[in-house]
Amino acid sequence: MTVPNPTPTPEVGDHRLPTRFWTKVKVDEVGCWLWIAALNRNGYGRFMDSNKITRAAHRVAYEALIAAIPEGLQLDHLCRVRHCVNPMHTEPVTQTENLRRGETITAKAAAAMRCPKDHPYSGDNLYVNPKGHRSCRQCTRDRNARRRVEQSETIRQQNREANRRYRARMKAQTK
């Protein structure tokens, strides 16, 4: 005798969600359940539940068809389609993990193994500040060297200007 799977793979039209939910879903060729109704400004589907509370459609689907989302976690779209509500395409993760996996500028920077000048982010060349931000020690040394040159040139120019004014004052006093 086989033991039934306690959480069967959800299918479109599953009775655990209202028909009203399913009228807003269109399945694409790769298995995404695309939300074709209201989207928020970030591209996530919005669904008003029976309590007249508007919630993220992918969260409603996950909680109805899979399980409650653990406290402190958020759903990461593994398919990278924000308006997909297929709970099999999402995974509960921490915000840090969700950001790291994303396709944002922040995620790309965090995944980078080399700085923009192609120095490695590793070994003695890597500096991680107390807030966790990485920087390239070689680029920092180069930037500081350029600043020292610029500062010394600025100081020389200020000294030349001060000497010119001093000489002009002395010349005016001798007349």
Side-chain angles (χ1 to χ4, degrees):
M1 184 164 124
T2 61
V3 177
N5 184 354
T7 55
T9 303
E11 295 180 8
V12 174
D14 191 300
H15 70 281
R16 292 175 284 178
L17 282 168
T19 305
R20 197 168 57 77
F21 181 92
W22 295 114
T23 62
K24 302 168 187 336
V25 174
K26 177 184 172 200
V27 181
D28 74 2
E29 62 279 352
V30 295
C32 284
W33 299 353
L34 303 178
W35 189 255
I36 56 173
L39 302 176
N40 70 11
R41 65 181 175 179
N42 296 320
Y44 294 99
R46 305 295 292 156
F47 180 72
M48 186 178 293
D49 65 16
S50 59
N51 297 325
K52 301 290 186 203
I53 297 172
T54 302
R55 300 181 52 219
H58 64 286
R59 292 178 66 88
V60 171
Y62 189 91
E63 290 176 345
L65 303 175
I66 304 294
I69 301 166
E71 185 74 28
L73 299 184
Q74 52 188 230
L75 293 179
D76 177 25
H77 282 83
L78 303 174
C79 61
R80 296 286 157 245
V81 179
R82 290 181 177 192
H83 63 286
C84 175
V85 296
N86 185 342
M88 300 307 290
H89 289 194
T90 59
E91 177 186 12
V93 296
T94 63
Q95 181 178 11
T96 302
E97 180 64 15
N98 197 7
L99 290 172
R100 188 187 64 74
R101 290 179 178 181
E103 296 172 346
T104 62
I105 294 171
T106 303
K108 289 176 185 170
M113 298 307 293
R114 301 184 79 76
C115 79
K117 300 280 187 181
D118 205 32
H119 303 124
Y121 279 136
S122 61
D124 292 340
N125 194 47
L126 175 64
Y127 172 71
V128 180
N129 74 13
K131 290 186 176 181
H133 299 143
R134 300 179 307 163
S135 65
C136 169
R137 289 185 189 266
Q138 183 61 50
C139 287
T140 301
R141 282 191 292 271
D142 294 348
R143 187 171 47 255
N144 289 341
R146 282 193 307 276
R147 283 185 186 149
R148 282 191 297 274
V149 168
E150 290 168 4
Q151 287 172 344
S152 64
E153 180 55 37
T154 300
I155 290 169
R156 279 194 293 275
Q157 191 174 1
Q158 289 170 344
N159 286 342
R160 282 194 296 268
E161 182 60 28
N163 286 338
R164 186 195 61 75
R165 286 193 308 268
Y166 176 77
R167 284 192 303 274
R169 266 197 325 267
M170 290 297 115
K171 187 174 182 181
Q173 288 177 356
T174 57
K175 287 187 178 178

